[in-house]
Amino acid sequence: MENRFGKLEKFYEEVNKLSSALIEKHRDRLKYKAGCFSCCVDNLTVFEVEAEYIKHYHSDLLKKESPYPKGYCSFLNNKGECRIYEHRTYVCRTQALPLRWLEEINEEELVDMRDICPLHEEGEPIVSLKIEDCWTISPFEEKLAEVQNEFNNKPFGKNRIELRNLFIKIDLVKKIKASHILTRFSYHYYLLGAGQIEGYLIKIIFRVKLNSAVESL
C-alpha cells in the first residue's frame, strides 16, 4: 500500500539531516531542552498535509486528550514537553536555529533578515553569521508547498489548518451526550408515570441510571 505521507517524510528527513548539522555547529549557543517552550506559540497554522500527518499518528491523543491552555502550542503537556515530537511540523524542527530570509522592501531591493530565539542570542551576532551558518527559510517553504500541492492542490489559504483545531472538542461532546441521556431518561420517567410504580421508586431508578450513564462518558 502506497504511503500517502512518503514525500512529506522524505522532506522531514532532509530537514532533520541539515538542521542537525547546524545544531552541532551552534552547540555552544543553543540552550533549549525538554520543557523549554518559549517559542511554542499558539494559533500556529500548517499545511493540510502536515495536519493530516499528525492526525494519522495521533488520533487517540486528539480524541481523548485536551489541548494545552491557550497562549502556547496546544500539543504541549503539563511539563511543557511536546506530545507529538516525532511527528512535529516543519517549523518546529528548525525553530531554535539562526533563521534567515530575504524580505522585499520594494521592486528593486531585497533585505537579508535574521532572527533567533532570545534564549540563544548570546554569542556571535546573528547578523554577522555566514549564510551557510543560518537556516534559510524560503527554499524549504517552497519544497513543503510542493509536497502540499501533490497531496491536495487546494487554493492557498484554504490549505492551512490551525493546530489547535485538530483536537476533538471533548467537553462539548460530553455535554451533548449528557443532554441526550437526560432527555432519554426524562422521557422514560414520563412514560412510567406514578400510576404504575410509586413516584419515589421511579426517581431512584432514574437517578441511578443517569449517574451511571454520565460516569461512562
Side-chain angles (χ1 to χ4, degrees):
M1 183 177 179
E2 184 181 357
N3 180 4
R4 62 196 292 246
F5 300 112
K7 292 188 177 181
L8 179 64
E9 289 174 341
K10 286 183 179 179
F11 171 76
Y12 283 158
E13 287 174 7
E14 180 184 8
V15 170
N16 290 344
K17 181 179 179 180
L18 296 175
S19 63
S20 294
L22 278 181
I23 288 171
E24 189 59 37
K25 183 173 290 188
H26 295 291
R27 178 65 62 187
D28 292 341
R29 79 186 300 163
L30 299 182
K31 301 174 182 177
Y32 67 93
K33 58 182 179 180
C36 171
F37 56 92
S38 60
C39 293
C40 302
V41 297
D42 204 357
N43 303 318
L44 181 67
T45 65
V46 298
F47 278 128
E48 183 180 8
V49 63
E50 290 194 285
E52 290 298 321
Y53 188 65
I54 293 170
K55 287 165 65 176
H56 177 74
Y57 285 103
H58 299 279
S59 58
D60 283 348
L61 184 155
L62 295 172
K63 291 176 183 177
K64 298 177 181 179
E65 299 184 29
S66 298
Y68 191 83
K70 289 186 177 181
Y72 288 100
C73 179
S74 55
F75 284 104
L76 293 173
N77 63 19
N78 58 9
K79 295 181 180 178
E81 300 167 337
C82 181
R83 288 181 282 177
I84 59 165
Y85 188 80
E86 184 180 352
H87 305 103
R88 65 198 185 282
T89 65
Y90 156 67
V91 68
C92 302
R93 295 168 190 260
T94 59
Q95 190 59 40
L97 298 171
L99 303 176
R100 172 184 177 268
W101 68 97
L102 296 177
E103 190 162 307
E104 186 176 351
I105 302 302
N106 52 55
E107 293 182 357
E108 300 179 355
E109 186 178 5
L110 291 174
V111 176
D112 185 80
M113 305 292 289
R114 307 285 177 93
D115 192 23
I116 195 170
C117 173
L119 296 177
H120 308 151
E121 285 183 342
E122 186 177 345
E124 182 180 355
I126 60 172
V127 294
S128 303
L129 294 176
K130 297 177 181 178
I131 290 177
E132 58 268 27
D133 291 341
C134 299
W135 185 266
T136 302
I137 295 174
S138 300
F140 293 94
E141 289 187 339
E142 291 171 3
K143 288 183 180 181
L144 182 56
E146 291 175 3
V147 173
Q148 166 61 33
N149 286 338
E150 292 190 32
F151 181 81
N152 189 337
N153 189 17
K154 290 183 178 180
F156 187 79
K158 294 185 178 180
N159 54 20
R160 304 290 298 187
I161 297 175
E162 187 173 332
L163 289 181
R164 185 170 291 276
N165 290 341
L166 296 181
F167 281 85
I168 303 297
K169 305 299 185 184
I170 297 175
D171 292 339
L172 179 59
V173 171
K174 284 188 175 183
K175 287 179 181 179
I176 292 173
K177 286 183 176 180
S179 175
H180 174 70
I181 291 167
L182 274 171
T183 302
R184 178 156 47 90
F185 282 108
S186 295
Y187 178 68
H188 290 327
Y189 175 83
Y190 172 79
L191 287 182
L192 284 171
Q196 297 182 36
I197 307 176
E198 291 183 12
Y200 179 78
L201 181 57
I202 295 174
K203 291 179 182 178
I204 293 296
I205 293 172
F206 171 71
R207 187 178 299 116
V208 170
K209 287 185 176 181
L210 177 58
N211 289 342
S212 176
V214 171
E215 286 174 1
S216 69
L217 291 176

